[in-house]
Amino acid sequence: MKEVTLETERLLLRWFREDDFADFCRICAEPEVMRFLGDGQPMAPMEVWRQMATFMGHWYFRGYGIWAVEEKQSGKMVGRIGFMNPAGWPGFELGWTLGRDSWGKGYATEGAARALSYAFTEMNRDHVISLIALENFGSIKVAERLGEKVEGETEVLGRRVFIYGISRDEWRRGQTGG
């Protein structure tokens, strides 16, 4: 299993490490961060550990997954960005979650744009979706900045979500301005 790392101007997208646990616990304990994820509640440390293990297992089973997002300047782990498509999922999903203190800096768009580029150019994906809670206006803005459009609605883990999506051809047109 090859470790994949992506970089942007300000961010490093890398595999989760055990020493990310404390920072990820802090992020997953923030009610504002968690309100649109899972059951909408902050996560206990054991749940955070299980989620980190799930992310790494996804890399093992699928060859892709969720990266820890590290701020290059500080070396601080500030969130997660990456791909999920577990059994029964609606499709190949790009998702993002950042700690509250990293909101408003453009990190979600910057990191997700790099991941999207990777999906279309290196992974040869034809289509990428993002599942976003109906009231999650911040993530909706990120999806729209990426060029994603609403393709429908579904229920995932007991929550109604929009299915935002973009094809490789639509993405290419957005890259060339046409």
Side-chain angles (χ1 to χ4, degrees):
M1 186 167 51
K2 180 179 179 274
E3 184 171 342
V4 175
T5 302
L6 302 179
E7 287 191 51
T8 71
E9 181 182 334
R10 301 178 296 163
L11 305 173
L12 180 66
L13 280 61
R14 57 160 176 79
W15 280 12
F16 272 85
R17 302 184 298 239
E18 189 173 353
D19 64 359
D20 291 324
F21 181 63
D23 285 335
F24 201 48
C25 277
R26 179 187 47 76
I27 291 167
C28 293
E30 297 176 10
E32 226 179 332
V33 170
M34 299 306 295
R35 70 183 170 170
F36 298 121
L37 301 174
D39 65 3
Q41 299 300 310
M43 294 171 69
M46 182 58 77
E47 294 172 295
V48 174
W49 181 263
R50 193 173 19 243
Q51 186 168 83
M52 286 174 58
T54 297
F55 294 161
M56 294 314 298
H58 202 282
W59 279 100
Y60 177 80
F61 286 124
R62 301 283 195 190
Y64 56 82
I66 300 288
W67 289 280
V69 178
E70 182 178 307
E71 193 178 56
K72 282 183 180 179
Q73 185 176 15
S74 69
K76 179 180 171 188
M77 198 281 281
V78 297
R80 65 176 175 92
I81 293 174
F83 306 113
M84 291 294 283
N85 193 7
W89 216 240
F92 180 79
E93 180 190 12
L94 169 60
W96 47 85
T97 302
L98 297 175
R100 181 67 184 94
D101 58 349
S102 295
W103 291 5
K105 298 180 179 183
Y107 287 171
T109 302
E110 182 178 327
R114 178 64 183 98
L116 190 61
S117 172
Y118 179 78
F120 289 136
T121 62
E122 302 298 316
M123 298 177 72
N124 202 29
R125 289 285 170 168
D126 291 323
H127 189 257
V128 175
I129 66 170
S130 296
L131 303 173
I132 302 173
L134 306 180
E135 316 80 26
N136 189 345
F137 303 115
S139 279
I140 288 170
K141 287 179 186 175
V142 172
E144 290 172 346
R145 284 187 205 112
L146 296 173
E148 294 184 0
K149 295 184 176 24
V150 176
E151 297 178 341
E153 288 184 33
T154 192
E155 186 172 312
V156 175
L157 303 173
R159 181 185 295 269
R160 289 298 298 164
V161 295
F162 286 121
I163 303 170
Y164 272 78
I166 187 169
S167 71
R168 182 174 36 222
D169 290 340
E170 292 166 330
W171 176 80
R172 280 189 183 135
R173 282 193 294 276
Q175 300 303 296
T176 61

